[in-house]
Amino acid sequence: MTRAMRKFVGWLIAIVVLLIIFLFMGPLYILNEGNQVVITRFGSIVNTHTDAGLYFKIPFLDKVTTYPKLVLSLDGDEQRIPTKENQFIIVDTTSRWRISDPAKFYQNFTTLENAYNKLSDIIDSSCRTVITQNRLSEIVRSSNIINDAAAKAEDEEEDEEAREIGELVNDSTANETVTKGRGELCRLMTVEANKLVPEYGIDLIDIVPRQIKYSDELTESVYNRMIKDRNQVAQAYRSLGEGKKAEWLGKLESDKRTIASEAYRKSEEIKGNADAQAAAIYSEAYNRDPEFYAFWKSMESYKANLKDYPATYSTKMDYFDYLYSADGKR
């Protein structure tokens, strides 16, 4: 082997060694699906990649920071928030978000942990802003389906008693009209939060209340209100019952007077007919034998009246004529 040949082989071996050393230093990296990276050199961003593939970096100088490209979730902390009526509720939210600009995200947060803390503050602030501007019914209800169903039931209800109960019970809460609903409030929360998050390289997809609870004082108030409503319904039934009772008693008394009046009329009519018949019989008997009739009437009078007198001191009067003779002569 000539000197030139040996020199060439030496250079080739040196190049191979350097190439192996270079490869061992990691100049290449793989970006997997669902991830994105930010390349920094001496603390400054030099490049970003969002598509999967094989990429080159300068060993020891370039630093690769990987972030997820998928949709992430953030569960917020419970917070006590007053509604428009100044009724305190406890709201626990969850939200979905993703990194839309990895360069901005790296400049503002560097790590996901920092992003979670900042985003949580933004979401809590937007929730508080929206909830304090709306009534409790708007937050806990999504539509007017309750009112619509109640109205439909009232239209279809054929029971007069049920309608009367409905008129007696005044449930103002159930009749509150929902103009926005929980879905619209969630959208407003998202809009409010999205006023800030784009500058951080974040795309906030939505904010959803995972749980809404009454505070202790509001829970007691709700229970008291439920008790009041049930008592109101019970009182309505009692009032309706008392009204029905008075109505039936009045009807009963009216029927009683009607029956008594009709019975009295019939009894008087029967007595009148009987008296007429008796008078006719008496008249016929008198016409047949006046003397016997007079005798018989006298005997009935004695029988009815003399028993009440223990002694009679004189019978020298016309009343006692028939005691001595059948023809009324002494």
Side-chain angles (χ1 to χ4, degrees):
M1 181 179 296
T2 63
R3 181 179 178 184
M5 192 67 176
R6 287 196 301 270
K7 187 176 181 181
F8 174 76
V9 172
W11 279 107
L12 183 60
I13 293 172
I15 293 173
V16 171
V17 171
L18 291 175
L19 181 60
I20 292 173
I21 293 173
F22 181 73
L23 291 175
F24 270 106
M25 290 166 44
L28 301 175
Y29 65 92
I30 298 174
L31 179 58
N32 296 319
E33 286 288 348
N35 290 330
Q36 52 191 337
V37 296
V38 175
I39 310 301
T40 57
R41 187 178 302 155
F42 302 114
S44 299
I45 298 174
V46 294
N47 204 351
T48 61
H49 297 290
T50 58
D51 297 326
L54 182 64
Y55 293 95
F56 175 80
K57 69 173 183 177
I58 300 176
F60 302 113
L61 298 181
D62 291 347
K63 180 182 177 182
V64 179
T65 303
T66 304
Y67 298 119
K69 194 168 61 173
L70 304 176
V71 175
L72 305 174
S73 64
L74 173 62
D75 295 333
D77 297 327
E78 291 185 352
Q79 54 177 334
R80 190 168 179 267
I81 306 175
T83 62
K84 189 175 182 179
E85 307 97 330
N86 201 31
Q87 296 179 334
F88 285 87
I89 58 175
I90 298 174
V91 181
D92 182 8
T93 62
T94 184
S95 57
R96 295 184 302 165
W97 63 285
R98 58 173 167 253
I99 301 173
S100 57
D101 189 332
K104 286 184 178 180
F105 186 86
Y106 180 86
Q107 290 173 345
N108 287 280
F109 304 117
T110 305
T111 65
L112 285 174
E113 186 64 30
N114 294 334
Y116 280 129
N117 294 333
K118 182 63 178 180
L119 189 57
S120 180
D121 293 340
I122 294 174
I123 291 173
D124 290 347
S125 176
S126 65
C127 288
R128 181 174 294 274
T129 299
V130 173
I131 289 176
T132 53
Q133 296 174 355
N134 291 273
R135 293 179 289 108
L136 178 63
S137 58
E138 299 282 356
I139 301 165
V140 299
R141 290 165 58 184
S142 299
S143 66
N144 285 305
I145 188 171
I146 297 178
N147 294 345
D148 296 341
K152 183 178 180 181
E154 289 179 0
D155 293 339
E156 296 178 351
E157 183 61 67
E158 298 296 335
D159 190 354
E160 182 180 354
E161 180 178 323
R163 287 197 299 271
E164 292 178 359
I165 291 295
E167 293 174 358
L168 290 172
V169 177
N170 180 23
D171 191 354
S172 59
T173 303
N175 293 327
E176 288 184 355
T177 301
V178 177
T179 57
K180 298 177 183 177
R182 185 166 53 191
E184 177 64 14
L185 295 188
C186 291
R187 189 190 69 81
L188 293 176
M189 294 177 191
T190 306
V191 171
E192 184 70 21
N194 272 324
K195 294 178 181 179
L196 299 175
V197 295
E199 65 183 63
Y200 300 122
I202 291 176
D203 179 19
L204 183 61
I205 300 173
D206 57 20
I207 301 174
V208 179
R210 185 172 56 180
Q211 186 179 37
I212 297 176
K213 298 187 297 184
Y214 295 141
S215 60
D216 293 340
E217 61 271 19
L218 182 56
T219 299
E220 183 177 359
S221 174
V222 170
Y223 286 156
N224 291 335
R225 186 171 185 174
M226 292 172 63
I227 293 172
K228 180 181 177 182
D229 290 343
R230 293 303 94 194
N231 287 336
Q232 187 178 14
V233 173
Q235 184 59 43
Y237 275 104
R238 283 193 289 267
S239 299
L240 180 62
E242 291 295 331
K244 292 292 184 181
K245 176 184 176 182
E247 179 183 346
W248 282 103
L249 287 177
K251 184 178 179 181
L252 178 63
E253 189 65 28
S254 176
D255 292 345
K256 178 181 177 182
R257 287 195 297 267
T258 301
I259 293 171
S261 176
E262 182 65 16
Y264 179 77
R265 184 190 66 77
K266 287 186 177 181
S267 68
E268 291 298 313
E269 181 180 346
I270 293 172
K271 287 170 63 177
N273 292 334
D275 289 341
Q277 292 177 8
I281 293 172
Y282 289 150
S283 176
E284 183 181 358
Y286 178 79
N287 291 331
R288 286 185 179 183
D289 191 345
E291 287 296 329
F292 179 77
Y293 180 79
F295 172 76
W296 181 255
K297 296 298 290 183
S298 296
M299 292 300 102
E300 286 186 343
S301 178
Y302 295 158
K303 182 179 178 180
N305 296 324
L306 292 181
K307 66 179 181 179
D308 297 329
Y309 299 96
T312 301
Y313 297 103
S314 176
T315 58
K316 295 180 179 181
M317 59 182 67
D318 293 341
Y319 179 74
F320 293 104
D321 287 347
Y322 283 101
L323 287 176
Y324 302 101
S325 63
D327 58 359
K329 299 177 181 179
R330 297 182 184 276

